[in-house]
Amino acid sequence: MSPPASHRRRSRLLRWPLVFVAILAFHSLAVYLFTRGFLLTRTELDLHSSRDDHPPQGDVSAACTSWPPPAVDRLVIVVLDALRFDFVAPSTFFPEKHPWMDKLQVLQKLAANEKTSARIFKALADPPTTSLQRLKALTTGGLPTFIDVGNSFGAPAIVEDNIMHQLVKNGKRVVMMGDDTWIQLYPEHFNKSFPYPSFNVKDLDTVDNGVIEHLLPSLHNNDWDVLIAHFLGVDHAGHIFGVDSTPMIQKLEQYNKILEGVIDTLRSLSKPGGTHENTLLLVMGDHGQTLNGDHGGGTAEEVETSLFAWSPKTPPDAVLSVLDHSSCNVDQHGEEVCISTMHQLDFAATISALLGIPFPFGSIGRVNPELYALSTGTWVNQTMGTDACTSQNDLEAWMRRYAEVLCVNCWQVKRYIDQYSATSVIGFPSEDLQHITNLYSRAQANWSASLRFTCSSETGSQDKLEEGKRSVLPQQIDAYTDFLKTFAKLARSAWTEFDLWSMGIGLLLMILSVIIQAYTLVKLNTICQPSDQKSASSSIIGKLVFAFALVAIRAASFLSNSYILAEGRVANFLLATSCITSMWHSMVKGKFSIENFVFLFLNIFTRFGIDIGMSKQSPAPAITKDHSVNAICKIFGVSSCNILLEIFPSISLAFVAYIILKFLSHAICQRFLKYFVSCGTMVSYVSIAFHWASETTLFSHAGIVQGFGRSLAPRFVYAIGGLSLAISALYRIFSPSDHLKMNKRITILAAVMICSWSPTILVLLGKQGPFVALICMTGAWCIIKLQQKCRRDSGLSVADPVSVIQWSFLAVCLFYLTGHWCTFDGLRYGAAFIGFDHFHIIRQGLLLSIDTFGVSHILPILSLPFIAMVSYNSTSKDDRLKNVILNNITQVWGLFAPKYVFDVIGLLLTDLLICLASFYYS
């Protein structure tokens, strides 16, 4: 071939990878615009409240012209990370009792026996329920969003006004121990700190032991005003073992003993003149967790956590008139326990009022009346103004003081509303703002009249005066509460409104990209089809229509919330539909094949795998009574079953390794490359077996297995995989390929790539990995065999689009089969620490990404060349074959990518992998 012709052919080969780069850029722009309008945003103000701030005299009465006086001297906050509501509330409040309930007996007994000074709250968090977002929301008093826009965007430390800043600014001394996230958020706010690393979810004890070491001694010291102790054991136990597990129960029992010590210490030092005479204890969670120990979303299990409050000094009995008695029940000992409900949004405002510090500027919560009333200091007959009434009983005096606190609370929120509306890019609707302003003005206008009436000394009917006092203050409190609750509802609505213009433009660009890809596929079909086969090309049109119909149905399913939650089942249903259609088509032609039956059976098995046990919707470590494995264990015995469950994954792994090595012996012809990849694969699979053996009880006394298996074995797998990727890249760049046919060359490259990635993905998946690998191999075998028969029957040189769609749907099914889920709580954080004990953001982030996208993106996309080349043999010498093969690979990827149009991250990752792979294989 002459140089000009060779140059033109090379230009054609490089054309399609560049097309994919353009599609990636197109998708990135569309996703950016759609995401900009879809993810919730709010403007972060850098303004801070000051002790000198006060409402203008013309706006409010003289009774609330200053911040509330302190009601407590010291505050102890014990944070039990991921504290579910049913960890604290008695089991009698729930339809069914579970093993993890009633373990925190010390809190339940106090709530039952000391009703005027102890209370259990159901604390409701606002999603997202990640720890960092919740701590930020708790301390700022604002609502969390997925994107906080401000000058500090991307910075780990919080610069928005918060109670930590106000504590330091107003001379309060703060001591922190436990989760080092506090230090990242507030690096310069603690007089003393004892932080411990929080990201190693496999470590249940390091953080907790550090807190235990410093907590009780610190309670005897006088060098702090606020003490924060953040335990992490329950959160980590949930991530690794699930809620219904022995480690979780052991952690809860340990916390019960710790809390007994804390309460006994506070009680012993609470006598008149004692260190903790006026101290308040709060035991709380930052969020809940699902049964499998995850959090981040907005389900009831994740947003419902607990808050327990106890004051060593008992308030007057009048506090019972303030506390809610609508949710009461007897505990397991027959004692009555009442539970209240509060929003975590109110935490910052309530703590600020109790400690007598200015409310954070951006706080939009309400001072919770029940938590505020549990402090004895709020019952001291001392008001904030100069016109205090002197003839009030305890309840009336408290209600007046609380009304004054709400008066300042409302002014502070109204100030924030005005400032936010003036500076925010996306403010609040004008009609809603007017309604809020009217509520505020009405409440403040009634305040002066309420004060005059409750403090009136004029002669008159004593009965009418007493009746008026009982009604006016509650009405005033209700007016302030109505204003605060209405704005909180407005804020939740406004900060969940979408930028429809950006979303619409992004969606239109995405649809346009799909149209471009459809045109590209038609163009590729013309290029791939030889001129003597044009008459047969009409048979592919029907398959193209059917394939796009399947993709369109799946895309339409994302418009329904129910179908999004059941995405795995939807993909499995569409895969079954394609299998049945293919089987029916074969039977009509009288050419029934065993591969159709095997593929349909595999699809049924996959459906059961998604629905039973292997799905992330159920606790991963637990085998429930309805689990199919439990039925098998009843037949063979529990001990024999446990041994089989520990051995069988290794047997399956050996079978997978045998198939891989057999495949390598036929796929790679270069001696050095074959030996290296084969040896690396064998060492990797042996290392995986060692790692699993180290986690079983069978080798618990084998020191070598334990030492090598837990840390070194997974690292061997990662290192061999990385080295294999490097060698494959060098082989791609420097190895002469003129003596190899295009299909043989691509087969070698694809084989090396698959063998480089698969061991790492398998070790991250855990003992379910071999089963998933066998399902993937069997599915690939069925699809390739059916593809071959389709090409022989039709005489077409193009890839079967239905086969490609089946491969993509199988990838989606494998994602859910392996226990993943498209939510924050669907991430398998434990996989990021396989082989490592300490957290490094890049290393653990990479491992978590490989575990998440390994079976759904990486392996399926990199193995697509096998579908494109199944009908070509290595003896063909037709030079046109190179163009046909590469165009087929391009066509396959072009069909594969639109499936992820609505999967944002998956879509961009798919495009990126397609670009890299197209350059790699071209």
Side-chain angles (χ1 to χ4, degrees), residues 23-42:
I23 292 176
L24 171 62
F26 209 77
H27 282 167
S28 300
L29 177 61
V31 168
Y32 167 75
L33 291 173
F34 187 88
T35 303
R36 182 181 179 184
F38 179 73
L39 292 186
L40 317 180
T41 61
R42 70 177 175 89

Side-chain angles (χ1 to χ4, degrees), residues 664-679:
L664 288 176
S665 64
H666 291 87
I668 303 178
C669 55
Q670 281 85 354
R671 180 174 300 177
F672 168 77
L673 192 61
K674 176 189 291 187
Y675 288 158
F676 174 81
V677 175
S678 299
C679 291

Side-chain angles (χ1 to χ4, degrees), residues 655-714:
F655 187 51
V656 171
Y658 171 78
I659 296 175
I660 293 291
L661 293 174
K662 195 75 173 176
F663 165 71
L664 288 176
S665 64
H666 291 87
I668 303 178
C669 55
Q670 281 85 354
R671 180 174 300 177
F672 168 77
L673 192 61
K674 176 189 291 187
Y675 288 158
F676 174 81
V677 175
S678 299
C679 291
T681 301
M682 285 190 291
V683 173
S684 295
Y685 281 93
V686 171
S687 299
I688 294 174
F690 261 95
H691 174 63
W692 291 348
S694 68
E695 296 180 334
T696 66
T697 57
L698 299 178
F699 298 94
S700 58
H701 300 293
I704 298 178
V705 175
Q706 292 287 323
F708 174 77
R710 290 190 179 275
S711 298
L712 294 180

Side-chain angles (χ1 to χ4, degrees), residues 464-582:
K464 287 186 177 181
L465 184 61
E466 292 299 327
E467 183 180 354
K469 288 182 179 181
R470 287 194 297 269
S471 61
V472 170
L473 282 174
Q475 289 177 1
Q476 185 63 45
I477 291 173
D478 290 342
Y480 284 138
T481 300
D482 186 32
F483 164 76
L484 293 169
K485 287 186 174 180
T486 301
F487 177 67
K489 182 179 179 181
L490 171 62
R492 286 188 175 95
S493 173
W495 291 329
T496 57
E497 284 188 353
F498 307 118
D499 185 350
L500 297 181
W501 280 104
S502 295
M503 291 176 63
I505 295 174
L507 187 59
L508 288 175
L509 288 176
M510 196 69 73
I511 295 174
L512 181 60
S513 72
V514 174
I515 295 174
I516 293 174
Q517 285 181 276
Y519 170 78
T520 304
L521 290 177
V522 175
K523 188 71 174 177
L524 280 169
N525 181 55
T526 304
I527 294 174
C528 294
Q529 197 63 42
S531 58
D532 58 349
Q533 294 182 1
K534 295 294 183 182
S535 59
S537 63
S538 59
S539 63
I540 200 67
I541 300 300
K543 293 191 174 186
L544 277 171
V545 172
F546 180 63
F548 273 108
L550 291 175
V551 174
I553 292 172
R554 181 166 186 263
S557 71
F558 290 127
L559 300 176
S560 168
N561 180 64
S562 299
Y563 282 111
I564 291 176
L565 297 176
E567 181 184 2
R569 297 181 180 91
V570 171
N572 185 266
F573 173 80
L574 294 176
L575 179 60
T577 301
S578 67
C579 292
I580 295 173
T581 303
S582 178

